[in-house]
Amino acid sequence: MDQILYWNAVALESDRIAHTEPKQAERGVRGPIGSSRAFAIVHLAMHDAYFSIVGAPHGTWLTAPPVAANGSSVAAAVALAAHTTLTALYPAQTPRLDRALREAELPGPGVGRGTAHGQAVARAVLRARKGDPGTDDKNYVPDTAPPNHRPDPVNPAQGYYAPAYGARSRCFAVTTRYTLDPPPKGNDPRYLEALREVRGKGIAPEAAATLPPGIAPRTAAETLVGLFWAYDGAKGLGTPPRFFNQIVRDLAAARNNTPDQNARLFALVNTALADAGILAWDDKYRHNLWRPILGIREFDPSMGPDGTAGDALAADCDPCWRPYGAPRSNVVAFNFSPPFPAYPSGHATFGAAAFQMARRFYGVDADGPDTLTDGMGFVSGELDGHTTDNDGVVRPRHIRRFPGGLWQMMEENGRSRVYLGVHWSFDAFVTGPDGGMDLSQNIGGVRLGRDIADDLWAGGLKQCQAAGPRTP
């Protein structure tokens, strides 16, 4: 049994349960930030438990990892590193995690020594991240003047998710705190173009007939893309980092990865996801851009809390506009806009970080389409023939192919949020003359995620090289 893949699956199930049964999770592991942080801790512990025994030129993440006793079982060390971190992160799930440990098929020789070593490594990794800030909005005082972020008017009690986390967190291994240029706003033609696009492509289905001439509505294929990539902390599904791990698992299986390769690959991918969460959330609350539901409803100066008197509504304003919304899968309730600022897109940043890291791991260096997914089909939990929409209707099963490889996934994942009406297109990337991603401009989550992955790949995944927090 490959212990890395086994415990990766256990970790992904922990995330799914945490978003399905809230009593089964501490608050800190919920939402995309909580998931990405938890996954990084678990996979770094497994990585260091593994390579501190077998050795490798790249070494360990910990600067001074515990020393294993001679004859320590590698399998036992990995299993206990995973079990120890998971029970610390998801204490309410301890009975399930204990059962997973009993079923882990650990060999006899050296199990006791391996067990002790895995626990020691896990505790060292947990100590290294003990001071991370929480994801609550305690003491946060938002600036709500336009065009700053405010809660979704359809879900006004949602609050603000993780406003301090990005700026106050130490990175896991990225050596530079990458930041993006400001997004377009106001009368900038790029902003107006993005507004008109999401007004049509992201509108709630029941309101599509109200679109004015010249605004193109969303197609059925675009709706499918929006749903495929969603994973908005949904009941039964979890968060985007879980889905990106599922895709990387498919890649690893298609290439018959060795345990060495899996230990390294999943540590790199999940550390990239964790640092993507830190730096994306830092930029989100630094730029503080509102979501389309407010930007479209309050485009006219007469609209909103700070509105001024007017006598004619601007053509690009729709005071009653509603998005399709991040899907409330497996729950009968209104869809929603996420409870944090739009720019940059967390989905785009997470996806680019994970997929670019996998591209680098498998030898793809240049920007552009790749062949890493040739012959493969992918199923999203949002469209698996079992998940229901927010009206309680089962969605069909859909198998999706990506002839452009992980590069195409990066782009489609970024675009998907426009089709749900919860993001502006530039939250993901600037569109080039050919209609594809233009990553030469320092705008959007794909650019940020790609830079994070490239940095981690060049830096070699070292705790001692990680950039510190931006603010105390």
Side-chain angles (χ1 to χ4, degrees):
M1 177 189 290
D2 185 327
Q3 293 293 324
I4 302 294
L5 287 180
Y6 176 80
W7 286 100
N8 171 265
V10 173
L12 300 191
E13 180 65 2
S14 296
D15 182 71
R16 189 193 70 81
I17 292 172
H19 291 85
T20 303
E21 305 170 29
K23 292 182 180 179
Q24 292 293 307
E26 299 294 326
R27 180 180 176 88
V29 295
R30 302 197 69 208
I33 290 293
S35 299
S36 61
R37 177 181 178 272
F39 288 169
I41 288 171
V42 173
H43 288 87
L44 284 169
M46 290 196 291
H47 174 276
D48 280 16
Y50 188 97
F51 288 112
S52 59
I53 295 176
V54 305
H58 53 67
T60 58
W61 175 72
L62 287 166
T63 305
V67 177
N70 290 337
S72 294
S73 163
V74 176
V78 169
L80 267 295
H83 178 268
T84 302
T85 49
L86 284 167
T87 52
L89 293 161
Y90 302 90
Q93 297 186 36
T94 296
R96 182 184 72 85
L97 297 168
D98 288 347
R99 184 169 63 252
L101 182 60
R102 291 193 296 271
E103 296 172 356
E105 299 180 10
L106 300 180
V111 167
R113 283 165 284 181
T115 294
H117 182 61
Q119 289 175 326
V121 170
R123 289 166 184 158
V125 173
L126 288 165
R127 283 195 302 272
R129 302 306 304 187
K130 185 177 181 180
D132 290 347
T135 59
D136 60 73
D137 59 3
K138 183 179 179 181
N139 299 324
Y140 176 63
V141 180
D143 179 357
T144 58
N148 291 327
H149 172 74
R150 301 200 312 274
D152 176 7
V154 181
N155 299 272
Q158 65 182 188
Y160 298 83
Y161 178 75
Y165 183 84
R168 295 181 184 174
S169 286
R170 290 170 295 118
C171 294
F172 276 76
V174 71
T175 64
T176 300
R177 290 192 70 94
Y178 295 93
T179 60
L180 295 168
D181 294 337
K185 299 177 184 180
N187 291 320
D188 187 318
R190 298 171 299 171
Y191 180 76
L192 295 176
E193 181 181 2
L195 184 146
R196 290 162 187 159
E197 179 186 22
V198 71
R199 183 179 177 185
K201 297 295 185 182
I203 196 169
E206 64 272 16
T210 67
L211 290 172
I215 301 291
R218 181 180 57 253
T219 66
E222 290 165 343
T223 300
L224 201 65
V225 168
L227 291 173
F228 184 89
W229 293 104
Y231 277 70
D232 284 281
K235 180 179 180 181
L237 296 177
T239 57
R242 178 172 181 260
F243 188 29
F244 301 143
N245 268 270
Q246 291 173 320
I247 291 171
V248 174
R249 286 179 65 89
D250 289 344
L251 291 170
R255 282 157 182 76
N256 296 311
N257 275 14
T258 65
D260 278 46
Q261 290 173 315
N262 283 330
R264 187 67 173 168
L265 172 62
F266 283 94
L268 284 164
V269 165
N270 283 289
T271 303
L273 286 168
D275 280 345
I278 289 169
L279 297 183
W281 257 252
D282 190 1
D283 264 2
K284 277 181 177 294
Y285 283 94
R286 191 164 60 88
H287 295 294
N288 201 26
L289 182 65
W290 57 13
R291 297 273 177 168
I293 190 168
L294 290 176
I296 295 171
R297 287 180 170 213
E298 299 183 12
F299 182 81
D300 190 274
S302 68
M303 304 300 298
D306 298 315
T308 57
D311 57 0
L313 193 68
D316 288 310
C317 178
D318 181 349
C320 299
W321 188 86
R322 286 181 61 171
Y324 190 138
R328 296 273 195 192
S329 300
N330 298 314
V331 175
V332 177
F334 286 128
N335 288 345
F336 64 101
S337 287
F340 37 85
Y343 180 82
S345 163
H347 261 72
T349 311
F350 284 129
F355 297 146
Q356 180 70 356
M357 184 56 75
R359 279 160 49 89
R360 297 304 300 268
F361 184 85
Y362 288 116
V364 179
D365 296 327
D367 286 349
D370 57 75
T371 60
L372 293 176
T373 61
D374 282 5
M376 300 178 68
F378 297 86
V379 176
S380 163
E382 296 278 11
L383 292 157
D384 61 358
H386 301 285
T387 294
T388 61
D389 64 20
N390 66 325
D391 291 321
V393 179
V394 176
R395 297 195 194 108
R397 178 178 167 84
H398 171 58
I399 304 174
R400 197 161 190 83
R401 294 192 182 276
F402 295 88
L406 297 184
W407 184 263
Q408 182 183 351
M409 285 189 173
M410 290 163 63
E411 180 172 356
E412 185 178 286
N413 173 57
R415 290 190 191 277
S416 71
R417 308 301 283 170
V418 174
Y419 304 146
L420 297 182
V422 298
H423 272 290
W424 315 99
S425 58
F426 52 76
D427 292 341
F429 51 80
V430 174
T431 302
D434 63 351
M437 297 186 292
D438 177 5
L439 302 190
S440 67
Q441 299 187 52
N442 189 35
I443 291 177
V446 172
R447 168 63 188 264
L448 179 59
R450 185 205 64 175
D451 288 350
I452 290 167
D454 286 347
D455 179 292
L456 285 175
W457 182 253
L461 198 63
K462 297 295 182 184
Q463 175 196 17
C464 61
Q465 297 178 4
R470 181 169 64 85
T471 60

